[in-house]
Amino acid sequence: MRRLLIWILLLQVNMVVGQSSSDKVLLEQKEDSLKEFAKEIIWAEDAESRFRADSFFTRILVRALVIPHSFHFPFDSIIQISRLYAPDSAFRVFTWQLMKDENQVRRHGAIQMRSPDGKLVLFPLLENSAFIQDPLNEPASTDKWIGSIYYKIVLKEFGDKKLYTLFGYDENDIASTMKRLDVLQFNSDGKPVFGGAPYFSFAQDSVKKPDQVRFWIEYKKEGNARLQYDEELDMIVYDHLIPENGDTDKKFTYIPDGDYEGFTWKNGKWVHVEKVFNFSLQDGQAPVPVPLIENKLIIPTSGQNKQRKKKN
């Protein structure tokens, strides 16, 4: 807690020292515009309006980030997009989603690096997951990104590497939702690499399977399965899922059964734990944080969009 407070104080000092009052006013003005377009991206009735709002939002965001020392400006009134700082404040990542229809959702994003002189260092995230042949095991880059709305970053170090585990939410399609784990690192050129090695190990499982570059769960739409990092346990905890009808091939029927699996960090890998607790918990008793869709970040599901249209 003390280290966290020190980081916050340092960020505030950097903002005051590095950012002029005129720049701050300009950023606040940009934020006001971004806030309105962010609402349109989510709530506009037709796809054309949502795409147009997304185009304006992206351009204004880049213009805002060009302003010196924008890294320290939080944009915290824009609740329709995810804005996450890395635990060591080395970078922050913006992610948001654009719904074309109930079966087509696009993710957009960007990584902004912290720079000593306050100049913009930005890596746009371009979703091209269709071109990744093996999503579980193939590394990804910023121009071939497996899109997710990130809601948590956990930093682990191994040797001289800093490894940032990203927790992501994916609306997926009309039938199922996904949550992903991906490990981000920066190569010798300072460029982001997603899944640079098989960081997810199943070596301790009763049934062995190969290590994976990334991991995800897929479950019934609005099934509210959890995938979170538990600070007290120092491990990733997620719901054990079972198919409602016994058909293991139909991921859109999977729901939580009250048990929990997880991953613990060992020797530079997340090692799978088949059963985190030796007893089942009742609803609401799980020692994990509130899921993303119940937090302050607004990510409406396709079903919520349907209900809104009916009301109108």
Side-chain angles (χ1 to χ4, degrees):
M1 179 61 71
R2 186 176 179 183
R3 291 182 64 187
L4 177 61
L5 290 173
I6 292 173
W7 271 113
I8 292 172
L9 288 171
L10 286 173
L11 281 174
Q12 291 174 339
V13 169
N14 284 339
M15 188 189 302
V16 172
V17 173
Q19 198 173 84
S20 69
S21 58
S22 60
D23 285 342
K24 187 173 184 294
V25 169
L26 186 55
L27 281 164
E28 289 171 348
Q29 292 172 348
K30 299 289 187 187
E31 182 179 26
D32 287 339
S33 298
L34 288 167
K35 185 164 52 177
E36 295 307 312
F37 285 118
K39 292 176 184 177
E40 286 294 302
I41 292 172
I42 298 297
W43 299 120
E45 290 294 328
D46 58 274
E48 183 180 352
S49 297
R50 294 193 292 271
F51 275 89
R52 183 169 58 250
D54 179 77
S55 178
F56 281 116
F57 179 89
T58 303
R59 281 181 279 177
I60 295 171
L61 178 62
V62 174
R63 291 170 189 164
L65 297 180
V66 169
I67 297 171
H69 300 283
S70 66
F71 181 85
H72 305 292
F73 189 82
F75 296 100
D76 53 9
S77 72
I78 310 173
I79 60 175
Q80 292 81 8
I81 72 167
S82 170
R83 314 158 313 282
L84 285 180
Y85 283 94
D88 60 355
S89 197
F91 66 91
R92 68 172 167 180
V93 57
F94 299 88
T95 48
W96 66 95
Q97 72 176 23
L98 173 63
M99 185 175 291
K100 182 178 180 182
D101 55 45
E102 292 174 336
N103 268 312
Q104 296 185 64
V105 182
R106 298 287 297 176
R107 269 71 46 175
H108 295 165
I111 295 174
Q112 181 185 17
M113 307 301 297
R114 184 183 63 188
S115 60
D117 57 5
K119 291 183 179 179
L120 178 62
V121 179
L122 190 69
F123 297 99
L125 299 176
L126 306 177
E127 185 180 10
N128 281 308
S129 51
F131 296 98
I132 298 179
Q133 295 181 348
D134 185 3
L136 280 177
N137 295 296
E138 188 174 333
S141 59
T142 55
D143 59 354
K144 194 187 288 186
W145 173 54
I146 299 178
S148 293
I149 310 300
Y150 296 129
Y151 58 95
K152 178 73 175 177
I153 303 175
V154 173
L155 171 60
K156 295 292 184 181
E157 298 187 32
F158 185 70
D160 60 351
K161 292 181 180 179
K162 286 190 173 185
L163 304 169
Y164 303 89
T165 302
L166 305 174
F167 292 64
Y169 173 89
D170 183 353
E171 180 85 9
N172 197 34
D173 59 30
I174 194 172
S176 70
T177 298
M178 302 177 75
K179 287 182 180 175
R180 292 195 182 92
L181 297 172
D182 209 345
V183 177
L184 169 67
Q185 62 190 92
F186 294 87
N187 63 20
S188 58
D189 296 325
K191 294 181 178 180
V193 176
F194 298 89
Y199 289 112
F200 297 91
S201 170
F202 301 87
Q204 294 184 0
D205 285 9
S206 55
V207 178
K208 304 293 187 297
K209 67 177 183 178
D211 293 355
Q212 297 175 184
V213 162
R214 59 185 57 85
F215 173 82
W216 66 70
I217 58 174
E218 183 177 356
Y219 52 93
K220 184 178 179 179
K221 179 61 67 179
E222 299 178 4
N224 204 25
R226 284 160 287 194
L227 174 64
Q228 290 284 4
Y229 178 72
D230 189 291
E231 300 281 352
E232 292 184 7
L233 296 175
D234 188 23
M235 68 183 299
I236 297 167
V237 178
Y238 65 95
D239 280 298
H240 179 258
L241 303 172
I242 58 171
E244 284 183 306
N245 56 10
D247 190 341
T248 56
D249 292 328
K250 294 181 178 179
K251 295 296 184 182
F252 62 87
T253 69
Y254 276 60
I255 57 173
D257 70 349
D259 282 336
Y260 295 90
E261 299 178 62
F263 289 95
T264 184
W265 185 256
K266 292 182 180 179
N267 299 320
K269 290 190 176 186
W270 287 110
V271 179
H272 186 239
V273 177
E274 291 183 288
K275 194 175 181 68
V276 175
F277 308 106
N278 291 322
F279 56 92
S280 296
L281 300 175
Q282 300 299 317
D283 289 344
Q285 291 184 337
V288 292
V290 178
L292 170 70
I293 57 175
E294 296 177 8
N295 210 328
K296 292 183 179 179
L297 179 64
I298 296 177
I299 300 181
T301 65
S302 55
Q304 288 173 317
N305 278 332
K306 266 186 175 180
Q307 291 172 6
R308 185 175 184 272
K309 290 179 180 180
K310 287 180 180 178
K311 289 179 182 179
N312 293 336

